[in-house]
Amino acid sequence: MARVFVYGTLKKGQPNYKHMINTAKGLAKFQGRGHTVEKYPLVIAGKYNIPYMLNIPGTGHHVAGEIYSVDEQMLQFLDEFEGCPDMYQRTLMRIQVVEWEGKGGAGEARAAADGVLECFVYSTATFPPEWLGLPYYDNYDSSGKHGLSYVLRESR
């Protein structure tokens, strides 16, 4: 099992959460909530209003999201879904645990107890330079007051 931190449309209540609970794609078990230890720019960009975490540590905000434990099948699905490695790159980032529901081995409990976990995160280092001028968010919500409605893949 691998640990993945999601900050965009895959979170509970967001347009693509259905993929996280579709066991035909693999297993994803909600573990808790957290935010990035370092600051990153989270922007909503492109004609489909997709949330992107730009891999520029030290800029932006501590980005909030959810921590999942996923099996190899779900990790492969997420790589494909996220267009990895072209659109997003899957990298390890340190995540500060805010709320923990996960049940696991002693190592997992210990990691959560000290408050920081290493999780895979889909961020991007390949983006148009003008994205740096977009507003930075600390918490993505597809129906947030930003007014930028996410366009589902099936509607593109």
Side-chain angles (χ1 to χ4, degrees):
M1 299 291 275
R3 217 177 271 128
V4 175
F5 176 78
V6 298
Y7 57 84
T9 65
L10 291 166
K11 294 188 306 184
K12 289 180 182 180
Q14 297 303 310
N16 289 316
Y17 176 66
K18 61 189 178 224
H19 299 302
M20 298 300 286
I21 56 174
N22 181 348
T23 54
K25 297 180 189 315
L27 298 175
K29 186 171 181 261
F30 177 77
Q31 299 284 283
R33 290 179 174 69
H35 59 77
T36 57
V37 169
E38 292 195 73
K39 293 180 176 182
Y40 290 92
L42 171 60
V43 300
I44 302 172
K47 62 181 178 180
Y48 302 122
N49 296 319
I50 296 170
Y52 293 91
M53 184 190 300
L54 308 183
N55 198 346
I56 307 172
T59 301
H61 301 286
H62 299 284
V63 177
E66 298 173 347
I67 302 161
Y68 288 84
S69 183
V70 302
D71 67 4
E72 187 60 34
Q73 183 184 349
M74 178 59 80
L75 195 60
Q76 285 179 4
F77 165 78
L78 290 171
D79 279 355
E80 187 178 308
F81 181 80
E82 299 289 13
C84 187
D86 301 324
M87 188 163 149
Y88 292 94
Q89 296 82 50
R90 175 167 44 98
T91 56
L92 279 173
M93 289 185 187
R94 293 177 340 120
I95 304 301
Q96 176 71 51
V97 175
V98 174
E99 191 181 308
W100 188 253
E101 293 181 14
K103 294 168 181 59
E108 216 171 35
R110 202 169 35 252
D114 81 359
V116 176
L117 297 172
E118 284 226 318
C119 299
F120 284 122
V121 179
Y122 292 91
S123 63
T124 185
T126 53
F127 54 87
E130 59 269 18
W131 286 10
L132 291 171
L134 295 171
Y136 298 164
Y137 299 93
D138 63 351
N139 194 357
Y140 176 78
D141 183 345
S142 62
S143 56
K145 50 187 175 193
H146 49 70
L148 301 168
S149 296
Y150 174 77
V151 179
L152 286 167
R153 286 183 185 197
E154 44 275 27
S155 303
R156 296 178 192 168

